[in-house]
Amino acid sequence: EQGYETGEHAPGLKLGGCGAYKAAHHIIKTHAKVWHSYNSTWRREQRGMVGISLTSGWGEPVDPHSQTDRDAAERYIQFHLGWFANPIYRGDYPEVMKNYVGKKSAQQGLGTSRLPTFSVQEKTYIKGTSDFLGIGHFTTRYVLQKNFPFLQVSSYRTDHDLAELVDPNWPAPGPKWLYSVPWGFRRLLNFIKTQYGNPLIYVTENGVSETVQCPQLCDEWRIQYLKGYINEILKALNDGVNVKGYTAWSLLDKFEWNKGFSERFGLYHIDFKDKNKPRYPKASVDYYKKIISANGFPNPREVMS
């Protein structure tokens, strides 16, 4: 979306209403081709796995007793995670995506939907092409129904017919979009279990950045974020979700999309002004080391010994 619709990210194209859908369509078909190539050529010898990593927030209905809000929250997750996961695990785009984009395309007077279609052969070829599902997850939104007026030029965002809200009490230690809402992660993982047949999951990205540099490297907010989110993963494991591994995002401060070096997700601080780029551990390093050594939250007495 940001590369082919809004133009915020490379390659910076502004193909409103269709660019994101076309790009995603090619990504999904290409992913399937790579999976089949590995499956037929290398799997027997290497015994490896090929999966896909998808990043998605969680959408929670503002009013859980409102059917329209529940439907809007369902659209939120289907237009984000389901957009890619549904073809791979169930053979086609989510029905709600096809319905909403098709309806809005017809209102625009278009002969066909802006959402591309898979042929019968492509659906069969794509379905089942993932040995594991990688999940990147950072935050949650409250969601409610919002009808966008008829627009001659629609967009991926207006196709949803929903609005996103945040709770002002949610901690927001990093950028304006990243609120700490640990309970949303457990709900997302359980959604994946229910929707896609409880696939093998690796959490490939989860973390929080700081926008204001802390000279003492005292990222207590990151420790609290990691503690909250990892704890919800453990709850999901107890729910029967098949989570196999977890990766905090990220080891080092790095170049962060169009934010450059100004947004820092790293457990290690990098001095980008020094030509040698020295690395300094933040407080979260020691905390995360203990989690790794215990493969979960450690018993304090075990850590001391």
Side-chain angles (χ1 to χ4, degrees), residues 154-168:
S154 291
S155 72
Y156 167 73
R157 290 285 164 181
T158 57
D159 284 343
H160 299 48
D161 272 356
L162 58 84
E164 301 174 24
L165 303 175
V166 298
D167 185 332

Side-chain angles (χ1 to χ4, degrees), residues 12-182:
L13 300 180
K14 298 182 180 180
L15 306 174
C18 63
Y21 296 134
K22 286 182 178 178
H25 200 67
H26 288 300
I27 288 169
I28 294 164
K29 291 202 292 184
T30 305
H31 161 80
K33 189 163 187 176
V34 171
W35 186 93
H36 280 286
S37 175
Y38 185 85
N39 193 54
S40 60
T41 308
W42 298 107
R43 188 186 299 274
R44 186 176 299 169
E45 178 185 338
Q46 295 182 350
R47 299 181 182 179
M49 295 194 299
V50 177
I52 192 167
S53 185
L54 306 175
T55 299
S56 179
W58 173 250
E60 183 75 9
V62 169
D63 180 0
H65 303 294
S66 163
Q67 187 62 49
T68 55
D69 284 2
R70 291 203 302 272
D71 290 345
E74 174 76 12
R75 287 198 302 281
Y76 176 92
I77 198 71
Q78 294 293 0
F79 267 82
H80 286 83
L81 180 66
W83 184 7
F84 293 85
N86 219 74
I88 291 169
Y89 284 96
R90 304 180 72 170
D92 199 2
Y93 290 121
E95 286 299 317
V96 71
M97 276 193 82
K98 294 194 290 184
N99 292 340
Y100 268 71
V101 181
K103 177 181 67 177
K104 288 177 178 285
S105 300
Q107 289 173 348
Q108 291 176 268
L110 301 176
T112 57
S113 175
R114 287 180 283 105
L115 182 70
T117 56
F118 294 113
S119 68
V120 174
Q121 290 84 357
E122 286 172 338
K123 290 177 184 178
T124 304
Y125 187 74
I126 292 165
K127 186 177 179 181
T129 56
S130 201
D131 303 317
F132 66 89
L133 178 60
I135 285 293
H137 175 75
F138 294 90
T139 193
T140 284
R141 293 289 184 269
Y142 280 121
V143 179
L144 73 162
Q145 169 82 23
K146 179 182 179 182
N147 293 322
F148 285 90
F150 170 68
L151 300 169
Q152 200 60 41
V153 179
S154 291
S155 72
Y156 167 73
R157 290 285 164 181
T158 57
D159 284 343
H160 299 48
D161 272 356
L162 58 84
E164 301 174 24
L165 303 175
V166 298
D167 185 332
N169 293 318
W170 287 345
K176 60 183 180 180
W177 62 271
L178 210 172
Y179 293 80
S180 180
V181 196

Side-chain angles (χ1 to χ4, degrees), residues 224-236:
Q224 292 306 314
Y225 179 98
L226 292 171
K227 183 177 183 179
Y229 276 76
I230 294 172
N231 196 40
E232 292 298 318
I233 297 170
L234 292 173
K235 292 178 186 177

Side-chain angles (χ1 to χ4, degrees), residues 3 64 165 265 268 272:
L165 303 175
F265 276 90
Y268 282 83
F272 293 113

